[in-house]
Amino acid sequence: MSAQLIDGKQIAAAIREEIKAEVEEMNAGTGKVPGLATVLVGTRKDSQTYVRMKKKACKKAGIASFGHDLPEDISQEELLKIVRELNANNDVHGILVQLPLPDHIDEETILGAINLEKDVDGFHPINIGRLSMKRREPLFVPCTPKGCIELLDRTGVEIEGKRAVVLGRSNIVGLPVAMLLLHRNATVSICHSRTNDLPGVVREADILVAAVGRAEMVRGDWVKPGVVVIDVGMNAIDDPTSERGYRLTGDVAFDEVKEVASAITPVPGGVGPMTIAMLLRNTTDSAKHYLKIV
Ligand code: NDP
């Protein structure tokens, strides 16, 4: 069997078009557009690339961006002051502090200072707390986990009652995606580096979300026939045949697993494009909430 390809690029493009239309309608009705502030500290190349991609995506959707590129040695107080200014700016509906922050800055203090109603990255401790509790709704859900669920929904995959296995328990991906699956009434197992018999647990999955950061770790004989696979992993592996000298691969051995699964995301082109689409979604929802548009 060869699995259905879950095309994240195509699904994300459709979502971005939906958002663009909503933004045009908002602008026509209120004269306002959603605004996203990105806060980048330091000169990490990967963080610079992510922020640039986010600004570009905003522009294409008609969302205003407010960029703060700050020096590596900025003090925590100065950074807090900028976050508070953005909290008070009525044209800013979402604030994204690009992680990781330098070691001298306490991440939780900064994330906790973001106005809850502008926490479009969903990492405010209160939003994470609500996500982890029964019958509590966070205002915003972190973008990559939200993108995983959106891929399942838009592919017509039933979640309720299914056995879901999440590989990885990070605050950014593994834990929140497990919580979202649980809220949708899946029966969830969370695996990590100390899990015994990982292939045995993975084999129980109807839905597998892999977020470990280990290239092609999940093999074809680890999965049950018909499993739906969401591969969050993004690993650069050496490839002398590629112009860049490396290629990107997921946590799942795609060529093997696609012969057993019923549906699978590719890497690249699966979860990656969904992360930015969900950021635009959260920012637009925040602006609608602020402007009282239902
Ligand atoms: P982390 O390194 O924070 O977490 C990795 C998790 O995997 C940990 O819980 C760790 O266990 C577990 N783990 C590591 N090795 C093994 C192993 N051999 N067996 C079982 N479990 C293992 O990574 P992130 O969650 O931040 O990212 C995971 C992957 O997703 C990365 O490849 C990253 O690049 C990608 N990613 C992609 C995004 C996208 O937009 N597509 C966005 C964010 C991340 P333990 O807790 O015990 O240490």
Side-chain angles (χ1 to χ4, degrees):
M1 181 172 79
S2 202
Q4 174 196 350
L5 194 72
I6 304 176
D7 188 341
K9 224 169 149 181
Q10 201 177 69
I11 294 173
I15 293 170
R16 283 160 67 154
E17 281 304 314
E18 290 164 18
I19 292 168
K20 192 171 171 219
E22 286 173 38
V23 171
E24 278 165 8
E25 198 181 327
M26 181 186 291
N27 197 9
T30 66
K32 303 259 182 208
V33 295
L36 174 70
T38 50
V39 179
L40 173 67
V41 180
T43 54
R44 274 179 68 122
K45 287 275 171 285
D46 54 349
S47 294
Q48 284 174 335
T49 305
Y50 294 141
V51 167
R52 199 168 47 241
M53 284 163 66
K54 286 165 187 171
K55 285 183 182 165
K56 199 171 147 195
C58 279
K59 197 169 175 204
K60 278 192 179 164
I63 294 174
S65 354
F66 300 78
H68 286 264
D69 292 357
L70 305 167
E72 178 87 24
D73 61 355
I74 189 168
S75 70
Q76 181 154 310
E77 260 322 300
E78 285 172 293
L79 185 55
L80 276 173
K81 190 166 164 264
I82 288 166
V83 170
R84 290 188 192 118
E85 281 167 9
L86 293 170
N87 282 342
N89 184 338
N90 292 337
D91 293 326
V92 170
H93 307 101
I95 301 171
L96 180 142
V97 176
Q98 186 65 42
L99 301 177
L101 290 168
D103 288 345
H104 68 278
I105 291 175
D106 181 50
E107 193 175 290
E108 204 175 335
T109 303
I110 300 298
L111 296 180
I114 295 173
N115 180 338
L116 204 55
E117 307 219 323
K118 299 189 180 189
D119 176 40
V120 288
D121 231 1
F123 291 134
H124 189 292
I126 292 181
N127 272 328
I128 290 290
R130 285 184 183 162
L131 182 66
S132 310
M133 293 172 85
K134 205 175 166 185
R135 292 192 210 95
R136 299 282 200 286
E137 283 287 326
L139 281 171
F140 300 102
V141 169
C143 299
T144 301
K146 182 173 168 143
C148 295
I149 303 296
E150 192 74 25
L151 285 174
L152 293 172
D153 284 344
R154 290 200 182 223
T155 310
V157 175
E158 181 77 43
I159 300 175
E160 180 156 331
K162 294 289 166 57
R163 188 72 202 264
V165 173
V166 177
L167 297 184
R169 57 175 166 181
S170 73
N171 289 333
I172 291 175
V173 191
L175 280 180
V177 89
M179 290 304 158
L180 289 173
L181 289 163
L182 193 60
H183 282 300
R184 294 286 297 272
N185 297 322
T187 301
V188 184
S189 300
I190 305 172
C191 301
H192 44 78
S193 62
R194 315 285 171 84
T195 298
N196 286 332
D197 185 20
L198 199 57
V201 182
V202 170
R203 222 167 272 129
E204 291 172 7
D206 302 311
I207 297 171
L208 174 67
V209 180
V212 283
R214 299 275 180 272
E216 300 179 347
M217 187 178 86
V218 178
R219 311 306 310 189
D221 61 356
W222 285 32
V223 296
K224 162 167 104 175
V227 64
V228 175
V229 179
I230 304 292
D231 190 354
V232 186
M234 284 226 276
N235 311 291
I237 56 170
D238 291 341
D239 182 359
T241 65
S242 142
E243 215 172 87
R244 295 178 296 186
Y246 69 91
R247 67 185 167 88
L248 280 182
T249 183
D251 292 339
V252 173
F254 182 85
D255 287 339
E256 291 178 18
V257 173
K258 80 173 191 330
E259 296 306 320
V260 189
S262 61
I264 185 168
T265 57
V267 177
V271 175
M274 293 299 286
T275 299
I276 290 185
M278 292 301 102
L279 178 65
L280 303 183
R281 176 77 273 155
N282 281 352
T283 305
T284 306
D285 287 350
S286 176
K288 283 181 164 178
H289 178 77
Y290 177 76
L291 296 167
K292 301 194 170 36
I293 301 169
V294 190

